[in-house]
Amino acid sequence: MSLRKIITYPHPVLRKKAEPVTVFDKELEQLVVDMAETMYDAPGSGLAANQIGELRQVIIVDVREADEAKNLHVFINPLIVAEEGSVTDVEGCLSVLEYSSNVKRAQKVRVSALDVKGKQFEFEAEEWFARALQHEIDHLHGKLFIDHISSLKRTLYKKKLKKLLQEQEEAA
Ligand SMILES: [Zn+2]
């Protein structure tokens, strides 16, 4: 197992589209293990392969409460096949430093995906789980949650981030 570095905005790899997975082998299993280790270490409740620089359609989600046992879900080549309702709630991202904002998402989604062995399955999720799935699937298409907020808010965030990165550089 190895911990991978989480790439942060505005790195260009986060804007690239991930390719569908076609080979289901030990290497893919290792990628999922590394992603899980990286996500739990962060800690976060979801991670897309793009975020560690792997342009493959792999996402993982675990929306358990802090005091609950790990409950890892792996989705390969995930596709949202149905969605219902809408709900606005606060969202953040391991790749978007020091920021969170309200984002409107479908309340319920049905996802079609493959498991790590290449077996197809369908999965229904609501509320936080549905939000996490939509957020992570966005990553696979080079999209970030800040693309869902107003351009004014985004401009303010970019300014804040620039200042933050400058301060980090000066401190280094
Ligand atoms: Zn994210």
Side-chain angles (χ1 to χ4, degrees):
M1 295 211 293
S2 61
L3 209 55
R4 306 281 290 262
K5 185 180 162 11
I6 296 176
I7 293 166
T8 56
Y9 176 82
H11 195 292
V13 78
L14 296 170
R15 292 309 192 180
K16 297 229 163 90
K17 283 185 171 44
E19 296 290 328
V21 173
T22 53
V23 179
F24 296 83
D25 59 2
K26 287 266 174 262
E27 201 269 333
L28 177 69
E29 284 174 31
Q30 188 58 51
L31 172 67
V32 169
V33 169
D34 286 355
M35 283 175 66
E37 196 186 349
T38 305
M39 178 186 77
Y40 287 121
D41 179 74
S45 53
L47 194 72
N50 307 47
Q51 293 178 275
I52 57 164
E54 298 275 353
L55 290 172
R56 287 188 268 176
Q57 291 186 10
V58 180
I59 63 168
I60 57 170
V61 175
D62 185 345
V63 291
R64 79 203 159 111
E65 297 292 330
D67 57 350
E68 287 171 3
K70 283 180 185 174
N71 187 13
L72 186 71
H73 293 265
V74 180
F75 302 85
I76 304 202
N77 303 348
L79 198 67
I80 294 173
V81 293
E83 55 180 62
E84 227 179 273
S86 94
V87 54
T88 298
D89 212 332
V90 174
E91 216 167 286
C93 176
L94 295 174
S95 292
V96 179
L97 298 172
E98 309 268 339
Y99 193 66
S100 58
S101 181
N102 274 331
V103 179
K104 193 166 140 188
R105 299 277 190 188
Q107 190 268 335
K108 190 173 172 181
V109 292
R110 173 178 267 281
V111 170
S112 170
L114 303 174
D115 69 13
V116 80
K117 301 281 185 202
K119 191 170 174 284
Q120 199 259 338
F121 67 97
E122 288 211 356
F123 190 87
E124 252 183 33
E126 287 185 82
E127 301 295 339
W128 273 107
F129 205 143
R131 176 170 297 275
L133 282 168
Q134 292 168 83
H135 178 116
E136 301 310 331
I137 291 171
D138 268 1
H139 273 301
L140 300 181
H141 297 103
K143 219 169 164 190
L144 299 170
F145 83 92
I146 50 173
D147 300 339
H148 293 278
I149 65 179
S150 71
S151 60
L152 173 65
K153 274 186 167 177
R154 199 160 46 241
T155 303
L156 289 174
Y157 171 63
K158 282 182 188 167
K159 275 190 189 161
K160 179 184 155 163
L161 181 67
K162 205 173 161 190
K163 197 162 162 256
L164 185 80
L165 295 176
Q166 262 169 9
E167 282 167 4
Q168 279 180 356
E169 214 167 276
E170 281 162 17

